[in-house]
Amino acid sequence: MNRHLPKKTGHGVRNALAACAAASMLAVSGAASAGVIKVGVSLRMKTETGEKYGQMVVDEFEAINAAGGINGHTFEVKLLNDECKSDIGVANATKFAYQDNVHLFIGSSCSSVSLPIVDVLHKAGVPMLIPHSTNYKITLKGSPWVYRVPISSRFSAAAAAKYTAENIGTKIAYIWASDAASQADAQKFFEYIETFHGEGPVYAEQFQEGELDLRAHLLKIKAMKPEALMISAQSQDFARGLVQSYEVGIPPSVKRIGGSAASNRPAPILSGDAIKGVFFHAAFSYADPDPKVAEFVKMTAERYGVANPDHDFSQAWDSVHVARIAIEGAELTLTDDSLAADRAAIRDALGSVTGYVTLGGGVVDFCADATPECRDGNKTPVLIEYTKGGEDYEIRVIGKTTFGADFGLASMAEEAEKLRESLDN
């Protein structure tokens, strides 16, 4: 999939949301001559929902162009599907960096794709704004070119673990898929339980993405009688594991918990009634009573036929407007000769973004240092429970938790050093 910016006009809902985004930021406008800001976008678009995430990014940049651009500049956006495959993502990023000469890269959805892209764009000197990937290792690498809008797994998994320990228990079984985000969600969850409650996992095993039968794991878990079961996987694998957990006879009294991907729209549709009572961490809930959220939900229903948008919709939207506000404060020349300088200017402008209130209610605060404290912008996970599954699924917010910028980093010092060394090599 290779899409260029389409010629479409915005409408009132989009403009109202853009005004909210602008009001939530402190930014400084810089004057420069007119030119084209090239943006490369690489996302997981294997499903209709994934394609709508990408289309939203394109549409939001088009709306900025329709409103006059930024400081006289307009955006040229190219959208590619990386299919959640690291080799395709790396190829997309390489093409954007060296052939298309983009000024900004937005992507990816999958942490297993974003992780190797960090190395590519670090060497190329292209700013990378991440809309969906949550694996804590992404910013632990220490690249000065990387910023993350979604909530790092070092915050989100801890929020769900904290709630579980305080409200359900600490005798927990874990199974997780082999993708990087699912691994990180499960790892940080049980590390929190071990560190703060002294309880190791009842059961902890990884399975391969797309594995069709998880009953062998689940039968062992049934015999151990845990208080809770965490299934950390992308939507299809999560739904399969959840349904099979009931098929093998794990009782409803064992609380089911999802990783961050449990928030994605396909999860409740594929899971049906099995998802009722499951809770998960996310960055956004369409059930939030905030009027800004109501406007966003109205917009996704009108433009994309999605009445209950998940946090990947909201984070795609937030990422565009974080980029917009940063670029408003960047001094850009936008000639062939100024490519490196313009990329650096956008990188530095992103580092000045503070006080951006996301659709989920968390606040994105970036700063200049190439550290997780500065580059993991949103630190406020939302805890959400499904009250109904299927196409017309329903959810409720059960809490929000904000962490300090350095939460969890003390135990990662050795890992961070190795990741930084690998980046420099």
Side-chain angles (χ1 to χ4, degrees):
M1 179 180 295
N2 187 343
R3 296 178 181 169
H4 292 264
L5 201 67
K7 301 287 186 181
K8 296 198 288 186
T9 57
H11 53 62
V13 172
R14 181 196 287 129
N15 292 340
L17 283 164
C20 289
S24 72
M25 269 302 308
L26 298 176
V28 179
S29 294
S33 59
V36 175
I37 303 166
K38 297 179 181 180
V39 180
V41 183
S42 180
L43 299 176
R44 178 184 186 270
M45 294 184 289
K46 296 174 67 175
T47 65
E48 183 180 354
T49 300
E51 289 182 357
K52 290 175 180 179
Y53 300 151
Q55 189 59 52
M56 176 183 292
V57 172
V58 173
D59 290 345
E60 288 304 310
F61 277 115
E62 189 278 335
I64 297 169
N65 284 350
I70 293 179
N71 301 327
H73 308 315
T74 57
F75 288 98
E76 177 184 300
V77 181
K78 293 184 179 180
L79 174 64
L80 293 176
N81 180 10
D82 59 41
E83 302 180 23
C84 199
K85 296 179 180 178
S86 58
D87 58 337
I88 297 176
V90 166
N92 290 350
T94 302
K95 178 180 182 298
F96 284 144
Y98 296 105
Q99 295 181 29
D100 297 322
N101 291 330
V102 301
H103 299 94
L104 172 66
F105 175 90
I106 295 178
S108 175
S109 304
C110 300
S111 293
S112 54
V113 178
S114 292
L115 276 163
I117 287 177
V118 169
D119 298 69
V120 172
L121 298 184
H122 177 78
K123 292 176 182 177
V126 179
M128 178 180 183
L129 186 61
I130 297 172
H132 298 144
S133 300
T134 60
N135 190 293
Y136 69 93
K137 295 180 181 180
I138 290 170
T139 52
L140 206 61
K141 286 189 171 189
S143 172
W145 296 94
V146 177
Y147 294 86
R148 184 191 345 238
V149 170
I151 299 167
S152 170
S153 58
R154 67 188 172 96
F155 304 127
S156 53
K162 183 175 184 291
Y163 182 87
T164 300
E166 293 175 355
N167 296 278
I168 299 164
T170 57
K171 190 178 179 183
I172 305 167
Y174 306 84
I175 56 173
W176 63 91
S178 54
D179 65 281
S182 297
Q183 291 181 53
D185 279 349
Q187 179 183 350
K188 292 305 166 187
F189 195 111
F190 65 67
E191 281 181 1
Y192 181 92
I193 299 295
E194 286 183 322
T195 301
F196 294 96
H197 296 277
E199 186 80 56
V202 170
Y203 185 89
E205 290 291 341
Q206 178 175 292
F207 61 89
Q208 292 301 310
E209 286 184 82
E211 192 170 327
L212 296 179
D213 193 347
L214 303 177
R215 293 178 182 86
H217 294 296
L218 295 166
L219 283 168
K220 293 177 183 177
I221 290 169
K222 177 186 176 182
M224 295 175 177
K225 299 181 179 181
E227 294 170 302
L229 165 62
M230 183 189 190
I231 303 173
S232 182
Q234 298 299 319
S235 297
Q236 289 184 329
D237 291 338
F238 167 73
R240 187 180 302 113
L242 187 59
V243 170
Q244 289 178 3
S245 74
Y246 284 103
E247 290 175 352
V248 302
I250 297 176
S253 59
V254 177
K255 188 71 170 179
R256 272 70 165 177
I257 306 162
S260 58
S263 68
N264 294 342
R265 180 173 168 78
I269 294 172
L270 295 170
S271 300
D273 291 340
I275 208 165
K276 185 176 179 179
V278 169
F279 80 91
F280 58 92
H281 58 267
F284 164 85
S285 169
Y286 72 82
D288 193 313
D290 189 325
K292 183 171 65 173
V293 173
E295 289 291 328
F296 181 73
V297 171
K298 179 182 177 184
M299 180 268 286
T300 60
E302 291 177 353
R303 284 166 56 184
Y304 306 109
V306 177
N308 301 333
D310 58 29
H311 74 178
D312 279 352
F313 269 108
S314 72
Q315 292 173 147
W317 191 90
D318 283 326
S319 296
V320 173
H321 292 285
V322 167
R324 174 182 61 81
I325 295 165
I327 290 171
E328 284 176 351
E331 294 276 352
L332 302 176
T333 304
L334 301 176
T335 65
D336 291 342
D337 292 338
S338 69
L339 178 61
D342 290 331
R343 286 171 167 175
I346 292 173
R347 175 201 62 195
D348 296 343
L350 283 166
S352 70
V353 172
T354 58
Y356 176 88
V357 181
T358 68
L359 287 167
V363 178
V364 170
D365 284 323
F366 291 137
C367 47
D369 290 346
T371 62
E373 293 96 321
C374 280
R375 303 310 177 95
D376 289 331
N378 186 359
K379 305 164 184 69
T380 304
V382 182
L383 294 172
I384 301 167
E385 183 180 69
Y386 284 104
T387 58
K388 181 181 178 182
E391 287 279 354
D392 57 345
Y393 67 90
E394 297 176 0
I395 57 176
R396 69 185 183 101
V397 175
I398 59 176
K400 294 183 181 180
T401 304
T402 299
F403 291 89
D406 62 351
F407 177 81
L409 292 177
S411 63
M412 301 178 188
E414 184 176 343
E415 186 175 16
E417 184 176 354
K418 291 179 180 178
L419 286 168
R420 287 193 294 268
E421 288 175 356
S422 67
L423 182 70
D424 292 335
N425 293 333

